[in-house]
Short mmCIF file of all heavy atoms in Angstrom, two decimals:
data_model
loop_
_atom_site.label_atom_id
_atom_site.label_comp_id
_atom_site.label_asym_id
_atom_site.label_seq_id
_atom_site.Cartn_x
_atom_site.Cartn_y
_atom_site.Cartn_z
N MET W 1 -74.01 -30.40 62.91
CA MET W 1 -75.18 -31.00 63.51
C MET W 1 -76.18 -29.94 63.92
O MET W 1 -77.35 -30.05 63.64
CB MET W 1 -74.73 -31.85 64.70
CG MET W 1 -75.85 -32.57 65.38
SD MET W 1 -76.12 -34.14 64.63
CE MET W 1 -77.23 -34.87 65.75
N GLY W 2 -75.73 -28.93 64.59
CA GLY W 2 -76.62 -27.89 65.09
C GLY W 2 -77.28 -27.09 63.99
O GLY W 2 -78.42 -26.63 64.15
N VAL W 3 -76.59 -26.94 62.87
CA VAL W 3 -77.12 -26.16 61.75
C VAL W 3 -78.41 -26.80 61.24
O VAL W 3 -79.39 -26.12 60.96
CB VAL W 3 -76.07 -26.04 60.62
CG1 VAL W 3 -76.66 -25.37 59.41
CG2 VAL W 3 -74.86 -25.29 61.10
N PHE W 4 -78.42 -28.14 61.15
CA PHE W 4 -79.59 -28.84 60.66
C PHE W 4 -80.77 -28.67 61.61
O PHE W 4 -81.90 -28.40 61.18
CB PHE W 4 -79.26 -30.33 60.47
CG PHE W 4 -80.37 -31.13 59.85
CD1 PHE W 4 -80.79 -30.86 58.57
CD2 PHE W 4 -80.96 -32.13 60.57
CE1 PHE W 4 -81.82 -31.59 58.01
CE2 PHE W 4 -82.00 -32.86 60.02
CZ PHE W 4 -82.43 -32.60 58.73
N GLU W 5 -80.51 -28.82 62.90
CA GLU W 5 -81.57 -28.63 63.91
C GLU W 5 -82.12 -27.20 63.85
O GLU W 5 -83.34 -26.98 63.95
CB GLU W 5 -81.05 -28.91 65.32
CG GLU W 5 -80.91 -30.37 65.65
CD GLU W 5 -82.23 -31.10 65.68
OE1 GLU W 5 -83.19 -30.61 66.30
OE2 GLU W 5 -82.31 -32.18 65.09
N GLU W 6 -81.22 -26.25 63.72
CA GLU W 6 -81.60 -24.84 63.66
C GLU W 6 -82.52 -24.60 62.46
O GLU W 6 -83.56 -23.94 62.57
CB GLU W 6 -80.36 -23.99 63.57
CG GLU W 6 -80.56 -22.53 63.86
CD GLU W 6 -79.25 -21.76 63.92
OE1 GLU W 6 -78.15 -22.35 63.82
OE2 GLU W 6 -79.33 -20.53 64.09
N ALA W 7 -82.16 -25.14 61.32
CA ALA W 7 -82.95 -24.97 60.10
C ALA W 7 -84.32 -25.64 60.23
O ALA W 7 -85.34 -25.06 59.86
CB ALA W 7 -82.20 -25.53 58.91
N LYS W 8 -84.34 -26.86 60.77
CA LYS W 8 -85.62 -27.55 60.97
C LYS W 8 -86.52 -26.74 61.88
O LYS W 8 -87.72 -26.63 61.63
CB LYS W 8 -85.39 -28.95 61.58
CG LYS W 8 -84.89 -29.96 60.59
CD LYS W 8 -84.81 -31.38 61.11
CE LYS W 8 -84.88 -31.63 62.56
NZ LYS W 8 -84.70 -33.03 62.98
N GLY W 9 -85.95 -26.20 62.94
CA GLY W 9 -86.73 -25.39 63.87
C GLY W 9 -87.33 -24.16 63.22
O GLY W 9 -88.49 -23.81 63.44
N LYS W 10 -86.52 -23.50 62.39
CA LYS W 10 -87.03 -22.30 61.71
C LYS W 10 -88.17 -22.65 60.76
O LYS W 10 -89.13 -21.90 60.62
CB LYS W 10 -85.89 -21.58 60.99
CG LYS W 10 -84.96 -20.91 61.94
CD LYS W 10 -83.84 -20.15 61.25
CE LYS W 10 -82.95 -19.51 62.31
NZ LYS W 10 -82.00 -18.60 61.80
N VAL W 11 -88.04 -23.78 60.07
CA VAL W 11 -89.11 -24.21 59.16
C VAL W 11 -90.38 -24.48 59.95
O VAL W 11 -91.46 -24.02 59.57
CB VAL W 11 -88.68 -25.45 58.35
CG1 VAL W 11 -89.87 -26.07 57.62
CG2 VAL W 11 -87.57 -25.09 57.37
N LYS W 12 -90.24 -25.21 61.06
CA LYS W 12 -91.43 -25.49 61.88
C LYS W 12 -92.07 -24.21 62.39
O LYS W 12 -93.28 -24.08 62.42
CB LYS W 12 -91.03 -26.37 63.10
CG LYS W 12 -90.87 -27.81 62.80
CD LYS W 12 -90.59 -28.57 64.10
CE LYS W 12 -90.36 -30.02 63.86
NZ LYS W 12 -90.05 -30.75 65.08
N GLU W 13 -91.21 -23.28 62.79
CA GLU W 13 -91.72 -22.00 63.30
C GLU W 13 -92.53 -21.28 62.24
O GLU W 13 -93.64 -20.77 62.49
CB GLU W 13 -90.55 -21.14 63.76
CG GLU W 13 -90.94 -19.95 64.59
CD GLU W 13 -89.73 -19.22 65.15
OE1 GLU W 13 -88.58 -19.67 64.99
OE2 GLU W 13 -89.96 -18.15 65.74
N LYS W 14 -92.03 -21.25 61.01
CA LYS W 14 -92.74 -20.56 59.92
C LYS W 14 -94.02 -21.29 59.55
O LYS W 14 -95.04 -20.65 59.29
CB LYS W 14 -91.83 -20.44 58.68
CG LYS W 14 -90.65 -19.52 58.86
CD LYS W 14 -91.12 -18.10 59.14
CE LYS W 14 -89.93 -17.18 59.39
NZ LYS W 14 -90.30 -15.88 59.86
N VAL W 15 -93.98 -22.62 59.53
CA VAL W 15 -95.18 -23.39 59.24
C VAL W 15 -96.23 -23.11 60.33
O VAL W 15 -97.41 -22.95 60.02
CB VAL W 15 -94.88 -24.89 59.12
CG1 VAL W 15 -96.17 -25.71 59.05
CG2 VAL W 15 -94.03 -25.18 57.89
N GLY W 16 -95.77 -23.03 61.55
CA GLY W 16 -96.67 -22.71 62.66
C GLY W 16 -97.31 -21.33 62.49
O GLY W 16 -98.49 -21.13 62.79
N GLU W 17 -96.52 -20.37 61.99
CA GLU W 17 -97.07 -19.03 61.75
C GLU W 17 -98.13 -19.07 60.64
O GLU W 17 -99.19 -18.47 60.79
CB GLU W 17 -95.94 -18.07 61.32
CG GLU W 17 -95.03 -17.66 62.44
CD GLU W 17 -93.87 -16.80 61.97
OE1 GLU W 17 -93.94 -16.25 60.83
OE2 GLU W 17 -92.90 -16.64 62.72
N VAL W 18 -97.82 -19.76 59.56
CA VAL W 18 -98.73 -19.83 58.42
C VAL W 18 -100.03 -20.55 58.81
O VAL W 18 -101.13 -20.13 58.43
CB VAL W 18 -98.07 -20.54 57.21
CG1 VAL W 18 -99.07 -20.84 56.12
CG2 VAL W 18 -96.92 -19.68 56.69
N THR W 19 -99.90 -21.65 59.58
CA THR W 19 -101.07 -22.43 59.94
C THR W 19 -101.73 -21.92 61.24
O THR W 19 -102.71 -22.51 61.70
CB THR W 19 -100.70 -23.91 60.12
OG1 THR W 19 -99.73 -24.03 61.15
CG2 THR W 19 -100.20 -24.51 58.83
N LYS W 20 -101.15 -20.88 61.81
CA LYS W 20 -101.64 -20.30 63.06
C LYS W 20 -101.69 -21.35 64.18
O LYS W 20 -102.66 -21.46 64.93
CB LYS W 20 -103.00 -19.65 62.86
CG LYS W 20 -102.96 -18.51 61.84
CD LYS W 20 -104.18 -17.66 61.91
CE LYS W 20 -104.28 -16.62 60.83
NZ LYS W 20 -103.09 -15.94 60.40
N ASP W 21 -100.61 -22.12 64.25
CA ASP W 21 -100.46 -23.18 65.26
C ASP W 21 -99.40 -22.74 66.26
O ASP W 21 -98.20 -22.89 66.02
CB ASP W 21 -100.06 -24.48 64.58
CG ASP W 21 -99.97 -25.65 65.54
OD1 ASP W 21 -99.89 -25.43 66.78
OD2 ASP W 21 -99.95 -26.81 65.06
N PRO W 22 -99.82 -22.18 67.41
CA PRO W 22 -98.85 -21.66 68.39
C PRO W 22 -97.95 -22.77 68.97
O PRO W 22 -96.80 -22.52 69.31
CB PRO W 22 -99.70 -21.02 69.46
CG PRO W 22 -101.07 -21.58 69.29
CD PRO W 22 -101.19 -21.99 67.85
N ASP W 23 -98.48 -23.99 69.09
CA ASP W 23 -97.66 -25.10 69.61
C ASP W 23 -96.50 -25.39 68.67
O ASP W 23 -95.37 -25.60 69.10
CB ASP W 23 -98.50 -26.36 69.83
CG ASP W 23 -99.49 -26.20 70.96
OD1 ASP W 23 -99.25 -25.39 71.88
OD2 ASP W 23 -100.53 -26.90 70.93
N LEU W 24 -96.77 -25.43 67.39
CA LEU W 24 -95.75 -25.70 66.38
C LEU W 24 -94.75 -24.54 66.34
O LEU W 24 -93.54 -24.75 66.19
CB LEU W 24 -96.37 -25.92 65.00
CG LEU W 24 -95.42 -26.45 63.93
CD1 LEU W 24 -94.77 -27.75 64.34
CD2 LEU W 24 -96.19 -26.64 62.61
N GLN W 25 -95.23 -23.32 66.52
CA GLN W 25 -94.34 -22.15 66.56
C GLN W 25 -93.38 -22.28 67.75
O GLN W 25 -92.17 -22.06 67.59
CB GLN W 25 -95.14 -20.85 66.70
CG GLN W 25 -95.81 -20.41 65.44
CD GLN W 25 -96.63 -19.15 65.67
OE1 GLN W 25 -97.39 -19.05 66.62
NE2 GLN W 25 -96.45 -18.18 64.78
N ARG W 26 -93.90 -22.60 68.92
CA ARG W 26 -93.07 -22.75 70.11
C ARG W 26 -92.07 -23.89 69.95
O ARG W 26 -90.89 -23.77 70.29
CB ARG W 26 -93.93 -23.00 71.35
CG ARG W 26 -94.53 -21.74 71.94
CD ARG W 26 -95.14 -22.00 73.31
NE ARG W 26 -96.25 -22.95 73.26
CZ ARG W 26 -97.51 -22.61 72.98
NH1 ARG W 26 -97.83 -21.35 72.70
NH2 ARG W 26 -98.46 -23.51 72.96
N GLU W 27 -92.55 -25.01 69.42
CA GLU W 27 -91.67 -26.16 69.18
C GLU W 27 -90.54 -25.79 68.22
O GLU W 27 -89.36 -26.12 68.45
CB GLU W 27 -92.48 -27.33 68.62
CG GLU W 27 -91.65 -28.57 68.40
CD GLU W 27 -92.47 -29.70 67.77
OE1 GLU W 27 -93.71 -29.72 67.90
OE2 GLU W 27 -91.84 -30.56 67.12
N GLY W 28 -90.91 -25.08 67.17
CA GLY W 28 -89.91 -24.67 66.18
C GLY W 28 -88.89 -23.72 66.78
O GLY W 28 -87.68 -23.82 66.53
N LYS W 29 -89.36 -22.77 67.57
CA LYS W 29 -88.46 -21.80 68.21
C LYS W 29 -87.49 -22.52 69.15
O LYS W 29 -86.29 -22.23 69.15
CB LYS W 29 -89.28 -20.75 68.94
CG LYS W 29 -88.45 -19.59 69.45
CD LYS W 29 -89.34 -18.51 70.02
CE LYS W 29 -88.61 -17.20 69.97
NZ LYS W 29 -89.17 -16.23 69.09
N ALA W 30 -88.01 -23.45 69.94
CA ALA W 30 -87.17 -24.19 70.87
C ALA W 30 -86.13 -25.04 70.10
O ALA W 30 -84.96 -25.08 70.48
CB ALA W 30 -88.03 -25.09 71.77
N GLN W 31 -86.55 -25.67 69.05
CA GLN W 31 -85.65 -26.51 68.26
C GLN W 31 -84.57 -25.64 67.60
O GLN W 31 -83.41 -26.02 67.54
CB GLN W 31 -86.42 -27.28 67.20
CG GLN W 31 -85.59 -28.31 66.48
CD GLN W 31 -86.44 -29.19 65.59
OE1 GLN W 31 -87.62 -28.93 65.34
NE2 GLN W 31 -85.86 -30.26 65.09
N SER W 32 -84.98 -24.48 67.14
CA SER W 32 -84.03 -23.56 66.52
C SER W 32 -82.97 -23.09 67.54
O SER W 32 -81.79 -23.06 67.25
CB SER W 32 -84.77 -22.36 65.95
OG SER W 32 -83.89 -21.46 65.35
N LYS W 33 -83.41 -22.78 68.74
CA LYS W 33 -82.49 -22.36 69.81
C LYS W 33 -81.54 -23.50 70.19
O LYS W 33 -80.37 -23.27 70.44
CB LYS W 33 -83.24 -21.86 71.03
CG LYS W 33 -83.86 -20.50 70.84
CD LYS W 33 -84.53 -20.03 72.10
CE LYS W 33 -85.09 -18.62 71.92
NZ LYS W 33 -85.67 -18.11 73.15
N LYS W 34 -82.07 -24.71 70.24
CA LYS W 34 -81.25 -25.88 70.55
C LYS W 34 -80.18 -26.05 69.48
O LYS W 34 -79.00 -26.25 69.79
CB LYS W 34 -82.11 -27.14 70.62
CG LYS W 34 -81.32 -28.40 70.81
CD LYS W 34 -82.22 -29.62 70.71
CE LYS W 34 -81.38 -30.91 70.71
NZ LYS W 34 -82.14 -32.04 70.23
N GLY W 35 -80.57 -25.93 68.22
CA GLY W 35 -79.62 -26.06 67.13
C GLY W 35 -78.55 -24.99 67.18
O GLY W 35 -77.38 -25.24 66.92
N GLU W 36 -78.97 -23.78 67.52
CA GLU W 36 -78.02 -22.66 67.62
C GLU W 36 -76.99 -22.95 68.72
O GLU W 36 -75.79 -22.74 68.53
CB GLU W 36 -78.76 -21.37 67.91
CG GLU W 36 -77.87 -20.15 68.01
CD GLU W 36 -78.64 -18.87 68.31
OE1 GLU W 36 -79.89 -18.89 68.34
OE2 GLU W 36 -77.97 -17.84 68.52
N ALA W 37 -77.46 -23.45 69.85
CA ALA W 37 -76.57 -23.76 70.97
C ALA W 37 -75.60 -24.90 70.57
O ALA W 37 -74.40 -24.84 70.88
CB ALA W 37 -77.36 -24.17 72.19
N GLU W 38 -76.09 -25.91 69.85
CA GLU W 38 -75.23 -27.00 69.40
C GLU W 38 -74.17 -26.48 68.44
O GLU W 38 -73.00 -26.88 68.51
CB GLU W 38 -76.06 -28.08 68.71
CG GLU W 38 -76.92 -28.89 69.65
CD GLU W 38 -77.84 -29.88 68.94
OE1 GLU W 38 -77.93 -29.82 67.69
OE2 GLU W 38 -78.46 -30.68 69.63
N ARG W 39 -74.59 -25.60 67.54
CA ARG W 39 -73.64 -25.03 66.55
C ARG W 39 -72.57 -24.22 67.26
O ARG W 39 -71.38 -24.33 66.95
CB ARG W 39 -74.40 -24.16 65.55
CG ARG W 39 -73.53 -23.53 64.48
CD ARG W 39 -74.34 -22.71 63.50
NE ARG W 39 -75.30 -21.81 64.07
CZ ARG W 39 -75.01 -20.63 64.64
NH1 ARG W 39 -73.77 -20.22 64.69
NH2 ARG W 39 -75.96 -19.86 65.12
N GLU W 40 -72.97 -23.42 68.24
CA GLU W 40 -72.00 -22.61 68.98
C GLU W 40 -71.04 -23.49 69.79
O GLU W 40 -69.85 -23.21 69.86
CB GLU W 40 -72.73 -21.64 69.91
CG GLU W 40 -73.42 -20.50 69.16
CD GLU W 40 -74.30 -19.63 70.04
OE1 GLU W 40 -74.51 -19.97 71.23
OE2 GLU W 40 -74.79 -18.61 69.54
N ALA W 41 -71.55 -24.58 70.36
CA ALA W 41 -70.71 -25.49 71.11
C ALA W 41 -69.70 -26.16 70.20
O ALA W 41 -68.51 -26.31 70.56
CB ALA W 41 -71.56 -26.54 71.83
N THR W 42 -70.13 -26.57 69.03
CA THR W 42 -69.22 -27.18 68.06
C THR W 42 -68.16 -26.19 67.64
O THR W 42 -66.95 -26.55 67.57
CB THR W 42 -69.99 -27.67 66.83
OG1 THR W 42 -70.95 -28.64 67.23
CG2 THR W 42 -69.08 -28.27 65.78
N GLN W 43 -68.53 -24.97 67.40
CA GLN W 43 -67.59 -23.92 67.01
C GLN W 43 -66.55 -23.70 68.13
O GLN W 43 -65.37 -23.56 67.88
CB GLN W 43 -68.31 -22.63 66.69
CG GLN W 43 -67.43 -21.53 66.16
CD GLN W 43 -68.23 -20.28 65.78
OE1 GLN W 43 -69.44 -20.22 65.98
NE2 GLN W 43 -67.55 -19.31 65.22
N ALA W 44 -67.01 -23.69 69.36
CA ALA W 44 -66.11 -23.49 70.51
C ALA W 44 -65.13 -24.66 70.61
O ALA W 44 -63.94 -24.44 70.90
CB ALA W 44 -66.90 -23.35 71.80
N ARG W 45 -65.61 -25.89 70.35
CA ARG W 45 -64.71 -27.04 70.41
C ARG W 45 -63.63 -26.94 69.32
O ARG W 45 -62.48 -27.27 69.56
CB ARG W 45 -65.50 -28.35 70.25
CG ARG W 45 -66.18 -28.80 71.54
CD ARG W 45 -66.71 -30.20 71.43
NE ARG W 45 -67.77 -30.35 70.45
CZ ARG W 45 -69.06 -30.15 70.68
NH1 ARG W 45 -69.46 -29.75 71.88
NH2 ARG W 45 -69.95 -30.33 69.74
N VAL W 46 -64.03 -26.51 68.13
CA VAL W 46 -63.07 -26.37 67.03
C VAL W 46 -62.02 -25.31 67.41
O VAL W 46 -60.83 -25.54 67.18
CB VAL W 46 -63.81 -25.99 65.72
CG1 VAL W 46 -62.83 -25.53 64.65
CG2 VAL W 46 -64.63 -27.18 65.22
N GLU W 47 -62.46 -24.20 67.94
CA GLU W 47 -61.53 -23.15 68.34
C GLU W 47 -60.59 -23.67 69.44
O GLU W 47 -59.38 -23.36 69.42
CB GLU W 47 -62.28 -21.90 68.82
CG GLU W 47 -62.96 -21.16 67.70
CD GLU W 47 -63.79 -19.98 68.18
OE1 GLU W 47 -63.70 -19.62 69.39
OE2 GLU W 47 -64.54 -19.43 67.37
N ALA W 48 -61.11 -24.42 70.38
CA ALA W 48 -60.28 -24.95 71.47
C ALA W 48 -59.23 -25.89 70.91
O ALA W 48 -58.06 -25.87 71.34
CB ALA W 48 -61.16 -25.67 72.51
N LYS W 49 -59.60 -26.75 69.95
CA LYS W 49 -58.65 -27.65 69.33
C LYS W 49 -57.52 -26.86 68.67
O LYS W 49 -56.35 -27.25 68.75
CB LYS W 49 -59.33 -28.56 68.30
CG LYS W 49 -60.26 -29.57 68.88
CD LYS W 49 -59.53 -30.81 69.23
CE LYS W 49 -60.56 -31.87 69.66
NZ LYS W 49 -59.94 -32.94 70.36
N GLY W 50 -57.87 -25.77 68.02
CA GLY W 50 -56.85 -24.92 67.38
C GLY W 50 -55.89 -24.34 68.39
O GLY W 50 -54.69 -24.32 68.19
N HIS W 51 -56.43 -23.89 69.53
CA HIS W 51 -55.59 -23.33 70.59
C HIS W 51 -54.68 -24.41 71.19
O HIS W 51 -53.51 -24.16 71.48
CB HIS W 51 -56.43 -22.68 71.68
CG HIS W 51 -57.13 -21.44 71.25
ND1 HIS W 51 -56.47 -20.34 70.80
CD2 HIS W 51 -58.45 -21.12 71.20
CE1 HIS W 51 -57.33 -19.38 70.48
NE2 HIS W 51 -58.54 -19.85 70.71
N GLU W 52 -55.23 -25.62 71.34
CA GLU W 52 -54.43 -26.72 71.87
C GLU W 52 -53.27 -27.05 70.92
O GLU W 52 -52.14 -27.29 71.37
CB GLU W 52 -55.30 -27.96 72.08
CG GLU W 52 -56.25 -27.84 73.25
CD GLU W 52 -57.23 -29.01 73.34
OE1 GLU W 52 -57.13 -29.96 72.54
OE2 GLU W 52 -58.10 -28.96 74.20
N ALA W 53 -53.54 -27.07 69.64
CA ALA W 53 -52.50 -27.37 68.66
C ALA W 53 -51.41 -26.30 68.67
O ALA W 53 -50.21 -26.60 68.60
CB ALA W 53 -53.10 -27.49 67.26
N LYS W 54 -51.84 -25.05 68.80
CA LYS W 54 -50.89 -23.94 68.86
C LYS W 54 -50.02 -24.04 70.12
O LYS W 54 -48.80 -23.86 70.07
CB LYS W 54 -51.65 -22.62 68.86
CG LYS W 54 -50.84 -21.40 68.58
CD LYS W 54 -51.77 -20.17 68.52
CE LYS W 54 -51.11 -18.99 67.91
NZ LYS W 54 -52.00 -17.83 67.83
N ALA W 55 -50.63 -24.38 71.23
CA ALA W 55 -49.89 -24.53 72.49
C ALA W 55 -48.89 -25.69 72.38
O ALA W 55 -47.76 -25.58 72.85
CB ALA W 55 -50.86 -24.76 73.66
N LYS W 56 -49.31 -26.78 71.78
CA LYS W 56 -48.44 -27.94 71.60
C LYS W 56 -47.25 -27.57 70.72
O LYS W 56 -46.11 -27.95 71.02
CB LYS W 56 -49.21 -29.10 70.99
CG LYS W 56 -48.39 -30.36 70.84
CD LYS W 56 -47.98 -30.91 72.17
CE LYS W 56 -47.24 -32.22 72.00
NZ LYS W 56 -46.64 -32.70 73.23
N ALA W 57 -47.47 -26.80 69.67
CA ALA W 57 -46.38 -26.36 68.80
C ALA W 57 -45.38 -25.49 69.57
O ALA W 57 -44.16 -25.65 69.41
CB ALA W 57 -46.93 -25.59 67.60
N HIS W 58 -45.89 -24.62 70.44
CA HIS W 58 -44.99 -23.79 71.25
C HIS W 58 -44.23 -24.64 72.27
O HIS W 58 -43.05 -24.37 72.53
CB HIS W 58 -45.78 -22.69 71.98
CG HIS W 58 -46.28 -21.61 71.09
ND1 HIS W 58 -45.46 -20.84 70.30
CD2 HIS W 58 -47.55 -21.16 70.84
CE1 HIS W 58 -46.17 -19.97 69.62
NE2 HIS W 58 -47.44 -20.15 69.93
N GLU W 59 -44.88 -25.65 72.78
CA GLU W 59 -44.22 -26.55 73.73
C GLU W 59 -43.07 -27.29 73.05
O GLU W 59 -41.97 -27.39 73.60
CB GLU W 59 -45.25 -27.55 74.28
CG GLU W 59 -44.68 -28.52 75.29
CD GLU W 59 -45.72 -29.52 75.79
OE1 GLU W 59 -46.93 -29.31 75.54
OE2 GLU W 59 -45.31 -30.50 76.41
N VAL W 60 -43.31 -27.79 71.85
CA VAL W 60 -42.27 -28.50 71.11
C VAL W 60 -41.11 -27.53 70.81
O VAL W 60 -39.94 -27.90 70.95
CB VAL W 60 -42.84 -29.10 69.80
CG1 VAL W 60 -41.75 -29.58 68.87
CG2 VAL W 60 -43.81 -30.23 70.14
N GLU W 61 -41.45 -26.33 70.44
CA GLU W 61 -40.43 -25.31 70.14
C GLU W 61 -39.60 -25.02 71.40
O GLU W 61 -38.37 -24.91 71.34
CB GLU W 61 -41.12 -24.04 69.64
CG GLU W 61 -40.18 -22.93 69.24
CD GLU W 61 -40.94 -21.70 68.76
OE1 GLU W 61 -42.10 -21.82 68.32
OE2 GLU W 61 -40.36 -20.59 68.84
N GLN W 62 -40.27 -24.91 72.54
CA GLN W 62 -39.57 -24.64 73.79
C GLN W 62 -38.65 -25.81 74.16
O GLN W 62 -37.52 -25.61 74.56
CB GLN W 62 -40.59 -24.40 74.92
CG GLN W 62 -39.96 -24.15 76.26
CD GLN W 62 -40.98 -24.01 77.38
OE1 GLN W 62 -42.17 -24.16 77.15
NE2 GLN W 62 -40.51 -23.72 78.56
N GLU W 63 -39.13 -27.02 74.01
CA GLU W 63 -38.31 -28.19 74.32
C GLU W 63 -37.07 -28.26 73.43
O GLU W 63 -35.97 -28.57 73.89
CB GLU W 63 -39.14 -29.47 74.19
CG GLU W 63 -40.18 -29.63 75.27
CD GLU W 63 -41.13 -30.78 75.03
OE1 GLU W 63 -41.06 -31.43 73.95
OE2 GLU W 63 -41.99 -31.03 75.90
N ALA W 64 -37.25 -27.92 72.16
CA ALA W 64 -36.12 -27.92 71.24
C ALA W 64 -35.10 -26.86 71.64
O ALA W 64 -33.87 -27.10 71.59
CB ALA W 64 -36.61 -27.68 69.81
N ALA W 65 -35.56 -25.71 72.05
CA ALA W 65 -34.67 -24.63 72.48
C ALA W 65 -33.91 -25.03 73.73
O ALA W 65 -32.71 -24.74 73.88
CB ALA W 65 -35.46 -23.35 72.71
N GLU W 66 -34.58 -25.72 74.65
CA GLU W 66 -33.93 -26.16 75.90
C GLU W 66 -32.86 -27.22 75.61
O GLU W 66 -31.81 -27.21 76.22
CB GLU W 66 -34.95 -26.70 76.88
CG GLU W 66 -35.82 -25.60 77.47
CD GLU W 66 -36.94 -26.13 78.33
OE1 GLU W 66 -37.08 -27.37 78.49
OE2 GLU W 66 -37.72 -25.29 78.84
N ARG W 67 -33.13 -28.12 74.65
CA ARG W 67 -32.14 -29.15 74.31
C ARG W 67 -30.94 -28.56 73.60
O ARG W 67 -29.84 -29.09 73.68
CB ARG W 67 -32.80 -30.20 73.42
CG ARG W 67 -33.60 -31.23 74.20
CD ARG W 67 -34.06 -32.30 73.28
NE ARG W 67 -34.86 -31.63 72.23
CZ ARG W 67 -36.09 -31.97 71.90
NH1 ARG W 67 -36.66 -32.97 72.46
NH2 ARG W 67 -36.75 -31.31 70.96
N ALA W 68 -31.14 -27.45 72.89
CA ALA W 68 -30.06 -26.81 72.14
C ALA W 68 -29.07 -26.12 73.04
O ALA W 68 -27.99 -25.77 72.60
CB ALA W 68 -30.64 -25.84 71.13
N LYS W 69 -29.38 -25.92 74.29
CA LYS W 69 -28.49 -25.21 75.23
C LYS W 69 -27.26 -26.00 75.51
O LYS W 69 -27.12 -27.12 75.65
CB LYS W 69 -29.21 -24.89 76.54
CG LYS W 69 -30.23 -23.80 76.39
CD LYS W 69 -30.85 -23.52 77.74
CE LYS W 69 -31.89 -22.42 77.61
NZ LYS W 69 -32.54 -22.16 78.89
#
């Protein structure tokens, strides 16, 4: 999701540069930063899910070891 916003913002920013429209440049820059933040948040959620899965696997392994005693 964030990648698309980031790309749209960069396009707006460049169009603003070409047309010498500072408002469009600012809007594009802000949209690009928003997209970047969304992309980073999504990436962090994916990494967190991976860590959760790894922790759950260790938990299952620990429970199995405790039952084997």
Side-chain angles (χ1 to χ4, degrees):
M1 182 88 171
V3 174
F4 185 64
E5 283 295 313
E6 195 173 356
K8 284 187 345 184
K10 288 182 180 189
V11 169
K12 281 184 183 179
E13 194 174 353
K14 292 298 178 189
V15 170
E17 286 176 17
V18 170
T19 61
K20 300 195 186 322
D21 183 343
D23 291 334
L24 190 57
Q25 285 178 313
R26 279 192 297 276
E27 182 183 336
K29 189 173 204 114
Q31 188 172 11
S32 180
K33 286 183 177 183
K34 175 187 171 196
E36 182 180 354
E38 288 174 352
R39 180 179 47 77
E40 289 172 352
T42 299
Q43 185 177 4
R45 281 192 294 274
V46 167
E47 289 176 10
K49 291 272 187 197
H51 291 300
E52 288 173 4
K54 194 176 195 180
K56 183 65 177 172
H58 288 302
E59 180 181 347
V60 168
E61 184 181 335
Q62 179 184 2
E63 289 171 355
E66 289 173 0
R67 279 187 301 234
K69 288 183 180 177

